[in-house]
Amino acid sequence: MAFAPSSTPSAPPGPSGDVHLPDTARDLVKILVAGPFGVGKTTLIGSVSEIRPLHTEEPISEASAPLDDLAGVRDKSTTTVAVDFGRISLPGGVVLYLFGTPGQERFRALWDDIAYGALGALVLVDSRRIDASFDVLGLVEESGLPYAVALNAFPDAPRHHTEEQLRAALDLAAGTPMVTCDARDSDSSVDALLALVQHLIELHAPEAR
């Protein structure tokens, strides 16, 4: 597998004040956490990060309100304006650097810079607003990044769609992993990230051979 540069990004200290990598760290991997506005990217990174996550959340202003589609997320009062960052160590010495990308079209210019050096992406999807994910999925596919899809389980999300229907609605390739997660729950969010990591390992296995 090819990995992002090994320099440790600057980040705020965790609760213990320790920002250092664990001694077991072997492979450092940059991962994007992508998805439309209000899908839970900041929440997911915050739920799994072993250091205090860096957030660039700002209140939604009167100027930005007409640009941000609040349909289905009326209770949301803030938005990411640059990047979220967190870090999580996985078994086997793999350390994921998680970069949350803004979901609005007006932040598209940031995409290339944030995506540089990433090995893959976890795309969060709100099944109440499937069409809101199309632009982000298009960006990820255009960049050539392998990805997995995680359906964030909002309490009022519809439960009657089958996996086949959801995959068809998102136009996912047969080999693209799709899982359900609760971005508020650490274990659930880690499982979604592990699905992506396993997908990346499978894709890069032929290269290793």
Side-chain angles (χ1 to χ4, degrees):
M1 297 174 70
F3 297 98
S6 60
S7 58
T8 305
S10 176
S16 67
D18 184 13
V19 299
H20 300 291
L21 286 171
D23 294 337
T24 55
R26 179 171 54 87
D27 295 321
L28 313 182
V29 185
K30 181 178 181 180
I31 295 295
L32 299 189
V33 179
F37 172 68
V39 78
K41 303 181 293 293
T42 299
T43 301
L44 184 141
I45 291 174
S47 75
V48 301
S49 182
E50 64 196 11
I51 59 174
R52 189 173 69 226
L54 169 67
H55 296 310
T56 54
E57 290 273 296
E58 294 293 340
I60 297 173
S61 65
E62 291 183 9
S64 67
L67 302 175
D68 297 330
D69 184 4
L70 296 176
V73 287
R74 293 293 177 186
D75 294 335
K76 186 168 176 59
S77 60
T78 61
T79 184
T80 298
V81 296
V83 66
D84 292 323
F85 173 77
R87 189 186 77 203
I88 178 173
S89 300
L90 300 177
V94 176
V95 178
L96 304 185
Y97 291 135
L98 305 176
F99 289 77
T101 63
Q104 298 95 309
E105 177 64 24
R106 69 180 187 277
F107 294 114
R108 186 181 182 121
L110 292 172
W111 177 266
D112 289 341
D113 288 337
I114 297 175
Y116 179 78
L119 196 61
L122 181 68
V123 180
L124 285 180
V125 170
D126 183 348
S127 60
R128 304 169 302 176
R129 306 180 291 131
I130 290 289
D131 57 344
S133 302
F134 295 159
D135 287 346
V136 175
L137 285 168
L139 272 176
V140 174
E141 291 176 353
E142 287 171 18
S143 70
L145 284 176
Y147 66 94
V149 168
L151 299 166
N152 195 6
F154 288 92
D156 59 342
R159 309 293 180 187
H160 57 277
H161 298 309
T162 66
E163 178 177 346
E164 290 74 17
Q165 289 172 326
L166 290 167
R167 294 185 69 90
L170 293 165
D171 194 25
L172 298 183
T176 302
M178 187 180 76
V179 299
T180 298
C181 78
D182 183 341
R184 301 166 300 179
D185 181 78
S186 175
D187 290 341
S188 181
S189 297
V190 169
D191 285 345
L193 289 166
L194 286 173
L196 171 62
V197 170
Q198 182 60 41
H199 182 50
L200 297 176
I201 291 173
E202 293 170 356
L203 288 175
H204 286 277
E207 296 179 10
R209 289 197 294 268

